[in-house]
Structure formats: structure tokens, C-alpha cells
Amino acid sequence: MTLSERDRVGEQEAGAREVLERLRQASVNRSVDDMSRLYAVDAVHEFPFTAPGFPSRLEGRDEIVNWMTALWTTDTLRYERYRTLATYDTDDPETIIVEQEAVGTSASTGEFALPNIVVLTVRKGQIVRLRDYVNVLAAAAAIGRDM
């Protein structure tokens, strides 16, 4: 078995907690390749609480990764790490709920801690659905905007 085959097997066996950590690292590193490997081709990434001008639903790996990459190029918010406040299991062993903060630096306002809740569902080591309940008021404040 080659290294790339072992990596694929390892990714397929990864549970939701491990995939969450990989997602966080890909976000901190702004890695398009890592992000692409994490999302299933038909994944859905939703923002149930969103701000004007931001999508409430992204469908498919390409749309998700392209949207994230576009955000990274603005260099408005730079995530440096995540702080887990709580993690909850659900009836579905491949779905977890996580209370967390994205901690980083804003080009406009300096240091920030952006609270959010994530409902993450993983199948075969890839994200199939992510509901991202971002605190839109905190996000606006971090980039120096009023809502």
C-alpha cells in the first residue's frame, strides 16, 4: 500500500472529532488542498445566522472551497487557533456539536475571539454537512463594521 493510499484509508476512517481538528488546521493554514480533501464532493456548508451579503448555504466541495479561498484573499480575518468550549455527541455517531471560538487577528481591529457553534456530520472521513452558527455581531465587530 502506497503512502497516498494509506492517507486515503486514514481519512476514510477519521471520525467527526478528528475531521474537525483537520478542518481547523486547514483554516489556520489557509490550505486549499487540505480543505478540498476534507469536504465530500456533494457536501453542504450552511450559515443559519448570516449577515447581508453572505451566503446562507454553499453546496458542493468546489463552491465551499472557492468561497473560503475568496475570503482568505481579502486578508480581513486571520484565524490563528481555535478554542473548544464544549463538544457534544449526538444520536448519530458521525455528528457532533461543538461550541468554540476562532481566535485570531483582524486587519481592522486587532485581536478577536469569534464564538460559534458547529454541527458537523462526517461520512467516510469527509464532511458531508456543516452547520456553522457564527455570531454575526461578533464577526461584524471583528472586521470593524456595524450591523
Side-chain angles (χ1 to χ4, degrees):
M1 188 180 296
T2 67
L3 181 58
S4 62
E5 288 170 338
R6 275 188 298 232
D7 288 345
R8 280 194 298 272
V9 169
E11 287 173 2
Q12 288 179 351
E13 294 172 0
R17 291 170 194 261
E18 186 175 338
V19 170
L20 175 68
E21 290 309 315
R22 290 177 184 176
L23 177 67
R24 289 171 166 181
Q25 197 59 53
S27 182
V28 167
N29 294 341
R30 295 183 173 194
S31 174
V32 174
D33 290 339
D34 290 345
M35 202 61 75
S36 293
R37 280 191 291 274
L38 286 168
Y39 280 90
V41 172
D42 58 349
V44 174
H45 190 126
E46 297 174 296
F47 300 95
F49 305 133
T50 192
F54 285 91
S56 61
R57 181 180 175 95
L58 302 168
E59 294 185 34
R61 174 193 301 148
D62 291 343
E63 184 176 11
I64 295 165
V65 173
N66 289 340
W67 184 80
M68 288 181 187
T69 303
L71 278 182
W72 294 339
T73 61
T74 67
D75 215 26
T76 306
L77 298 179
R78 181 140 191 99
Y79 292 176
E80 296 165 1
R81 64 187 170 87
Y82 286 82
R83 188 169 32 231
T84 300
L85 305 175
T87 303
Y88 305 95
D89 293 318
T90 68
D91 290 341
D92 178 352
E94 295 180 297
T95 299
I96 58 172
I97 301 168
V98 181
E99 294 179 65
Q100 65 182 11
E101 292 178 326
V103 178
T105 305
S106 166
S108 304
T109 63
E111 293 181 8
F112 69 86
L114 183 58
N116 73 322
I117 294 174
V118 169
V119 180
L120 176 69
T121 301
V122 172
R123 301 277 188 261
K124 296 182 181 176
Q126 290 187 308
I127 299 166
V128 294
R129 185 171 186 204
L130 192 151
R131 293 178 58 87
D132 193 349
Y133 293 86
V134 175
N135 181 326
V136 294
L137 295 176
I143 60 174
R145 291 189 189 159
D146 290 328
M147 292 238 2

